Amino acid sequence: MRVRRFTTRRELEEHHFPWLVLIGVPLVTLLIAAYLPKLVPASALIDLPLLVVIFFSLSQRSAIGGTFMGAFVGLLQDTLSNQYIGVNGVAKTLVGFAASSVGLKVDVENSLTRALLVFGLSMAQSAMLFVLERVMLGVQEYSGRWGHEVLRAGLNTAVAIPLFFVLDRLRTDETGL
């Protein structure tokens, strides 16, 4: 007799990744983000670690997993940059939590949905960084140039779509159905 498993929508659409991918991809993107702008200054507009946090948080659909991924990537990004330790950690933690929470409610396999989420979350991170650096830390040199941030969010969105397509190929779905 066949045993029928009852699963939720979340369990059916939750994606799993090998540990090597979960740790290796963020580390590689952090190294690229730290050293590529020294060779190509225009690449500083693209936030690859943010895109990785958004992708894994949307795919795993776990608020705890998205929060930890954001904290892990953000704090490592702070150690490789010349910013205050914790600024990117806080911002990416909140982005990871928000992305995973949205991933529970919305179909995130659609490219248009992903593009809108990346743009919105990129703008949200810019707003969080502004509040953290300008308001909470009192860094007067930090100014929110919002036209620049909209351009940055657009570039992140343009890079995210092909990047997400490549990262989708790395997942292993273990639903057993």
Side-chain angles (χ1 to χ4, degrees):
M1 174 180 259
R2 182 177 169 156
V3 177
R4 183 175 193 129
R5 267 184 39 172
F6 293 102
T7 57
T8 64
R9 176 179 169 257
R10 177 177 175 253
E11 291 174 335
L12 285 174
E13 296 177 356
E14 184 177 77
H15 303 297
H16 302 279
F17 297 90
W19 282 102
L20 184 63
V21 171
L22 282 174
I23 294 172
V25 170
L27 290 177
V28 168
T29 58
L30 284 166
L31 291 174
I32 291 171
Y35 294 109
L36 186 62
K38 294 177 181 173
L39 301 173
V40 182
S43 67
L45 291 173
I46 299 168
D47 193 353
L48 285 176
L50 172 69
L51 300 180
V52 168
V53 167
I54 292 171
F55 174 78
F56 284 122
S57 298
L58 287 175
S59 296
Q60 292 179 333
R61 297 177 184 185
S62 165
I64 294 171
T67 303
F68 280 127
M69 178 62 77
F72 171 72
V73 170
L75 289 174
L76 284 178
Q77 186 176 11
D78 285 334
T79 62
L80 294 173
S81 68
N82 57 357
Q83 291 185 339
Y84 293 106
I85 300 293
V87 172
N88 279 314
V90 169
K92 285 188 176 42
T93 299
L94 294 173
V95 166
F97 176 77
S100 60
S101 297
V102 169
L104 286 170
K105 304 286 183 197
V106 178
D107 176 30
V108 292
E109 297 300 317
N110 185 350
S111 294
L112 179 62
T113 305
R114 284 180 171 182
L116 291 173
L117 284 171
V118 169
F119 187 85
L121 289 171
S122 183
M123 289 300 295
Q125 180 193 338
S126 295
M128 283 183 268
L129 289 174
F130 177 77
V131 168
L132 287 170
E133 290 195 17
R134 181 73 185 252
V135 177
M136 296 182 82
L137 293 175
V139 178
Q140 296 302 319
E141 296 87 36
Y142 187 83
S143 63
R145 299 173 302 201
W146 295 105
H148 179 265
E149 297 303 324
V150 169
L151 172 68
R152 184 178 186 156
L155 285 173
N156 281 331
T157 303
V159 170
I161 299 305
L163 177 67
F164 287 6
F165 181 73
V166 170
L167 292 175
D168 276 336
R169 303 286 181 223
L170 299 176
R171 68 182 181 209
T172 58
D173 294 328
E174 300 170 355
T175 59
L177 296 175

